[in-house]
Amino acid sequence: MSYTKRVLIAEDSSVIQNLARKILEFQHYEITSVKNGEQVLQLLEKEDFDIILLDINMPVMDGMECARSIRKLPDEKKAKTPIVAITGNAKNYSEEDFKQAGFDDALMKPLNFDRLVEVVAHLTE
């Protein structure tokens, strides 16, 4: 039996965080949730995750800055963790902006939950 994949969700909207959590838990993922990018980096010091879902607009540290920081981590395994952007302002960023920041994929709000499950499954295979 394969182990449960661990998903870290960084999202300041409790509604989106809770919906994503419920959808992914239903797919048997283990979910950890935080409210900003700084909390993501603090958690990564202690724990490993199979994928990170990052909201772009969060207080303290936004998703773009957080993704760049993750990619620079000294632990190579953690630095290569798949990262997916979650954004309601796709118009403000190009696909190239997300790639340069280190994202593997991007999901637009309102979230399409079938696409969320598909992207998480694909990037954690």
Side-chain angles (χ1 to χ4, degrees), residues 73-87:
L73 289 173
D75 180 331
E76 201 174 310
K77 182 178 184 272
K78 290 181 184 193
K80 289 188 170 152
T81 304
I83 309 172
V84 178
I86 297 175
T87 182

Side-chain angles (χ1 to χ4, degrees), residues 1-121:
M1 190 176 136
S2 66
Y3 77 105
T4 302
K5 303 282 187 195
R6 300 192 69 217
V7 180
L8 176 55
I9 301 173
E11 167 64 69
D12 60 330
S13 160
S14 300
V15 173
I16 293 171
Q17 198 181 85
N18 289 332
L19 281 169
R21 168 190 290 276
K22 283 187 175 25
I23 303 278
L24 292 171
E25 281 176 344
F26 189 73
Q27 301 293 324
H28 307 290
Y29 291 98
E30 182 185 316
I31 310 299
T32 302
S33 302
V34 295
K35 294 280 190 186
N36 66 60
E38 199 170 84
Q39 292 171 327
V40 168
L41 296 175
Q42 288 166 355
L43 257 181
L44 283 174
E45 287 175 18
K46 302 181 281 266
E47 299 181 47
D48 289 330
F49 293 91
D50 295 291
I51 190 167
I52 301 167
L53 305 178
L54 279 184
D55 183 19
I56 295 303
N57 294 316
M58 294 181 289
V60 187
M61 179 190 284
D62 71 21
M64 296 301 259
E65 187 183 342
C66 184
R68 285 191 280 269
S69 298
I70 291 167
R71 294 301 181 224
K72 291 179 188 154
L73 289 173
D75 180 331
E76 201 174 310
K77 182 178 184 272
K78 290 181 184 193
K80 289 188 170 152
T81 304
I83 309 172
V84 178
I86 297 175
T87 182
N89 324 10
K91 294 183 276 313
N92 296 355
Y93 298 101
S94 69
E95 213 173 289
E96 193 54 36
D97 292 332
F98 290 125
K99 272 199 185 93
Q100 284 177 347
F103 287 98
D104 295 278
D105 207 333
L107 296 169
M108 304 309 140
K109 293 179 186 173
L111 278 180
N112 172 328
F113 292 106
D114 290 334
R115 177 98 175 101
L116 170 68
V117 169
E118 182 184 304
V119 167
V120 170

